[in-house]
Amino acid sequence: MSETSNEGPKTFSFSKKEKLKNKKLFEELFIGGKGISAFPVKLLYVRTQFDDGPHIKVGVVAPKKKFKSAVKRNRIKRLLREAYRLNKHLVFNNIEGDFAFLFLYLGKQMPTFEEVDTSIKQLLKGFLKKESHEKID
């Protein structure tokens, strides 16, 4: 498993400090967050300020309305977290400032990892494009 880059083996971790837990930030994301969609996942993000290290904090959501079973919701959330963990290097060193991310699953069927992975990649690349354009303007 030589998937580590020159930044060391910690590159692919998803530590406790990177998890979004602040209730006010969750509300802010839903009310005033900017959004990007790549079906079946939507990314809501907002610029914020963190004191404890990571530049990006991430939350994941699977709707109870569409997936009654907690087992299915938890599986979707695990897939979303794993796809983000493997692709966060696309964003981590390429942005300035702190952001809160929220990945929402929009689909009606259980996704495969490949579906989630490709949409997360599209979302992260779209986020970078959007943020770089906003900096220039």
Side-chain angles (χ1 to χ4, degrees):
M1 284 220 335
S2 62
E3 280 195 42
T4 57
S5 65
N6 57 2
E7 297 166 329
K10 281 293 241 183
T11 308
F12 291 108
S13 69
F14 186 59
S15 69
K16 197 172 186 179
K17 287 184 177 180
E18 292 179 61
K19 293 180 180 145
L20 184 64
K21 298 176 185 174
N22 189 330
K23 192 174 180 184
K24 284 184 182 178
L25 264 177
F26 264 100
E27 289 174 9
E28 193 177 323
L29 278 162
F30 279 111
I31 295 168
K34 298 174 186 170
I36 306 171
S37 269
F39 193 79
V41 182
K42 182 175 184 175
L43 169 65
L44 294 175
Y45 66 94
V46 68
R47 187 179 285 269
T48 186
Q49 194 66 41
F50 298 123
D51 302 328
D52 58 350
H55 294 294
I56 300 173
K57 291 200 177 195
V58 178
V60 293
V61 177
K64 194 172 186 178
K65 198 172 194 177
K66 293 178 185 170
F67 298 96
K68 303 289 185 212
S69 167
V71 173
K72 289 180 180 177
R73 286 194 308 275
N74 291 339
R75 168 89 176 139
I76 292 167
K77 292 189 283 187
R78 275 198 310 276
L79 290 173
L80 290 169
R81 278 192 297 267
E82 180 68 4
Y84 170 73
R85 183 185 73 82
L86 293 173
N87 295 304
K88 72 178 182 180
H89 62 88
L90 297 171
V91 178
F92 233 70
N93 298 318
N94 300 326
I95 60 159
E96 294 173 12
D98 295 344
F99 289 90
F101 283 3
L102 186 65
F103 290 102
L104 297 161
Y105 183 73
L106 303 174
K108 291 184 173 123
Q109 279 94 24
M110 283 297 290
T112 63
F113 178 73
E114 289 75 26
E115 291 172 336
V116 173
D117 191 48
T118 54
S119 62
I120 294 277
K121 283 178 187 172
Q122 287 174 346
L123 289 171
L124 293 177
K125 288 175 184 173
F127 166 76
L128 280 176
K129 281 183 188 173
K130 215 171 177 182
E131 278 306 302
S132 63
H133 287 296
E134 286 178 13
K135 261 191 260 177
I136 294 167
D137 293 341

